[in-house]
Amino acid sequence: MNNHHRKSKDVSMRCALAQRIAREAGERARSFLADPEKLGWTEKASSQDIVSAADEATEAYLRQMIREHFPHDGIVGEEAGSATGSSGYDWVIDPIDGTMAFLVGQPNWTVSVAVLHDDEPIIGVVEAPMLNETYVGCLGEGATLNGRRLVIHQDWTIRSTTVGFGGTERADPLEVGAFVTRLYQEGGVIFRVGSGALMLAYVAANRLAGYYDPTLFCWDCMAGVVLIREAGGYVEFAGNLSQPGPIWAGNAQVFADLKRLSNAT
């Protein structure tokens, strides 16, 4: 087997596992909602940055499954930190993206699973259990929602529909206000839910014109990066696996406009 075919098989096997464990992790997280007393949670950096027992149990499951199937792969997760590997593949996982939404009974939380090869995102799965939606992107294979192909509208502008915005309490309030003001001055309107992964998936699915977040972490966005690229869109994440950073996403025009509006702040 030559190197190209071997890599193709390696990617295909990881893509299949990512889909399977994201769905199972979603069901495991969802099961906690049947017994709210098990949903004990604690604050991390702030009252808006929290972790629940469901987050921890779900991430433990994801890590266990990855280690069982690909013991030489690295793992980067929101709750339990990083484990280096030797294969060149790294999994980036968020067991529940949108923990606050999860805890208060909103449906807009997700499980996000991504795989990088030599630091390049190649697989992305965003599972939205309460919405019965599975978004999948695999390098060179396109992006899908429940098996239906996703292709980003190339003629949309920031005025075509709402624009996802992920600014949290980590963001500078003055910069947030300036960005929102400039967007509205140009005819755009803000959309926000508690999951950055879901908003990126919505861009891939043409539910949002674009997405901007001034301070996102890799586990919130790596799966979405793959989805948007495979759907024909543009996305740039200026953080890395250890540090958060801004992210911009959309078609070519929306991407450029969001970068312009955010830099202008």
Side-chain angles (χ1 to χ4, degrees):
M1 183 182 296
N2 64 37
N3 288 338
H4 175 75
H5 287 140
R6 183 179 298 279
K7 182 181 177 182
S8 178
K9 182 179 180 182
D10 288 346
V11 172
S12 178
M13 291 170 61
R14 285 171 173 82
C15 190
L17 180 66
Q19 293 176 64
R20 181 159 66 87
I21 64 176
R23 289 193 186 99
E24 175 60 25
E27 288 305 310
R28 286 171 177 251
R30 187 174 184 171
S31 70
F32 275 82
L33 297 175
D35 191 352
E37 292 184 1
K38 292 182 179 180
L39 283 174
W41 55 272
T42 56
E43 290 185 14
K44 294 193 290 184
S46 73
S47 62
Q48 296 291 316
D49 185 14
I50 56 182
V51 58
S52 73
D55 291 88
E56 293 170 337
T58 304
E59 182 164 322
Y61 163 77
L62 289 169
R63 287 176 177 269
Q64 176 188 351
M65 295 301 291
I66 294 165
R67 289 194 182 106
E68 283 184 9
H69 289 83
F70 298 104
H72 302 295
D73 289 6
I75 304 174
V76 179
E78 179 174 9
E79 310 305 342
S82 301
T84 58
S86 59
S87 66
Y89 291 92
D90 291 289
W91 295 70
V92 181
I93 56 176
D94 193 341
I96 300 177
D97 184 34
T99 299
M100 181 64 78
F102 175 82
L103 290 173
V104 300
Q106 296 178 13
N108 41 279
W109 55 272
T110 61
V111 178
S112 179
V113 178
V115 181
L116 282 63
H117 183 252
D118 294 338
D119 297 325
E120 183 68 21
I122 60 170
I123 295 167
V125 179
V126 175
E127 178 75 18
M130 307 303 289
L131 305 175
N132 296 312
E133 292 185 341
T134 304
Y135 299 82
V136 180
C138 187
L139 183 65
E141 300 294 329
T144 60
L145 165 54
N146 291 350
R148 177 177 59 83
R149 185 71 180 265
L150 300 177
V151 180
I152 287 178
H153 294 321
Q154 297 302 324
D155 57 347
W156 271 10
T157 72
I158 58 173
R159 295 172 296 281
S160 295
T161 185
T162 49
V163 172
F165 180 57
T168 67
E169 78 285 351
R170 293 188 298 270
D172 183 293
L174 294 177
E175 291 184 3
V176 168
F179 170 76
V180 172
T181 297
R182 295 180 72 92
L183 178 70
Y184 275 66
Q185 285 173 338
E186 297 197 15
V189 176
I190 288 295
F191 173 92
R192 174 172 168 75
V193 295
S195 168
L198 186 61
M199 285 188 278
L200 287 163
Y202 278 3
V203 175
N206 295 306
R207 293 177 177 176
L208 295 175
Y211 178 71
Y212 166 60
D213 191 319
T215 48
L216 202 61
F217 285 92
C218 64
W219 44 77
D220 299 317
C221 69
M222 283 300 178
V225 165
V226 179
L227 290 172
I228 289 170
R229 288 177 178 170
E230 289 299 313
Y234 291 75
V235 59
E236 178 184 337
F237 174 53
N240 55 44
L241 294 185
S242 58
Q243 296 294 327
I247 187 169
W248 306 266
N251 64 23
Q253 183 61 56
V254 171
F255 173 81
D257 282 342
L258 291 179
K259 289 204 77 172
R260 174 177 56 82
L261 291 170
S262 63
N263 288 336
T265 64

